[in-house]
Amino acid sequence: MELPIELEWYLVHRKLEPVKPLGEGKDGAVWRHDGGLCAKIHHVRDVYFRELHCYRRLRARRIRHVLGLRVPQLIDHDDDRLIIEMSIVTPPFLLDFASAYLDTPPDFPAEVLTQWHEELEGRFGPRYGDVLSVLNELKRTAGIHLFDVHADNLKFER
Amino acid sequence: MPESLLSAPATGYSPRLQMTLRVGGRDFDIAESGPDFVALRDAADVEAAEACIITDIDGEVDEVMVGLADGIRADRDEQPIIRRKRRA
């Protein structure tokens, strides 16, 4: 995986060196650096700010884990290069809030929500109830409404 | 409105990640790594010492030397560390 040039610029200016990619998906790429943290660069400005606002909320409310799942801490960010620098967490964890809604989610039609529940149950099987508990706790404590969860951003097992 | 609130099952890159703090022959599972701290899952009291953070990403391992100037305390979530240098 190639290091994005904007991320290289960000790291160089902080005298940090990239070590290894930690992930790549539809919203961006995550690289670990030699300062013991990771930096996520986003493809889309709105998505970047959506995720940044969530991490700011978690930090403001001092939320470090949700029902035993560790969440990363916001360390630094760059609005021009759409980069969020955060701590690295290992499973069990909850991360990636790029598609989350803060405080007020859209008014999804009932059939969309029904389909979401069905797909979620299919995706997590016997842990479906646990997933709902985590998402409800995240909503209650942080006001973060997260719908897009999968095995890579919500992990129960180490 | 979206067709689904769930994105397609992961098609990107998401490696298996494991981090361990090794000090005095004991290994502690790292839950979180920050700039100047680590959070351990099952911390136990340890005196101030030199230690090593071992990171395993999909079987590729590297080590970073750290100082535990205040040791490890079982009743503390974040254990302060001083990062030294990385060993490939």
Side-chain angles (χ1 to χ4, degrees), chain A residues 49-86:
Chain A
F49 278 108
R50 179 181 289 197
E51 180 149 45
L52 178 62
H53 292 325
C54 288
Y55 279 117
R56 279 180 165 155
R57 173 67 60 84
L58 291 166
R59 183 169 68 181
R61 297 194 180 175
R62 300 175 188 275
I63 296 171
R64 306 291 304 280
H65 33 75
V66 179
L67 296 184
L69 306 185
R70 205 93 187 175
V71 294
Q73 292 185 64
L74 173 65
I75 304 294
D76 200 358
H77 61 97
D78 183 328
D79 292 346
D80 294 326
R81 288 166 188 79
L82 313 184
I83 292 168
I84 296 175
E85 193 177 3
M86 60 192 113

Side-chain angles (χ1 to χ4, degrees), chain A residues 1 19-24 26 32 35-37 64 70 73 75 87-92 107-109 112-113 115-116 119-120 123 147-149 152 158, chain B residues 1-10 12-15 17-19 29-35 37 39 41-42 55 57 60 62 64 77-78 83 86:
Chain A
M1 192 185 305
V19 176
K20 198 168 177 12
L22 278 182
E24 185 175 42
K26 63 182 175 60
R32 172 174 162 244
L37 303 171
R64 306 291 304 280
R70 205 93 187 175
Q73 292 185 64
I75 304 294
S87 60
I88 297 174
V89 294
T90 63
D107 193 12
F108 294 117
V112 171
L113 290 174
Q115 182 188 345
W116 175 70
E119 291 177 345
L120 205 61
R123 188 168 281 189
F147 294 94
D148 190 10
V149 285
D152 290 332
R158 294 185 193 178
Chain B
M1 282 293 167
E3 287 183 9
S4 172
L5 297 175
L6 293 177
S7 62
Y13 171 66
S14 180
L17 169 67
Q18 186 173 9
M19 301 181 82
D29 192 23
I30 294 177
E32 182 176 359
S33 164
F37 73 89
R41 291 225 157 71
D42 297 302
T55 303
I57 302 176
E60 197 171 313
D62 69 59
V64 178
D77 183 52
E78 292 184 357
R83 290 186 181 274
R86 188 162 61 91

Side-chain angles (χ1 to χ4, degrees), chain A residues 7-43:
Chain A
L7 188 50
E8 184 177 9
W9 190 98
Y10 178 91
L11 295 175
V12 164
H13 279 254
R14 284 163 175 76
K15 296 182 169 48
L16 296 165
E17 284 187 29
V19 176
K20 198 168 177 12
L22 278 182
E24 185 175 42
K26 63 182 175 60
D27 298 313
V30 184
W31 278 72
R32 172 174 162 244
H33 66 63
D34 66 351
L37 303 171
C38 65
K40 178 176 181 179
I41 184 163
H42 298 71
H43 299 313

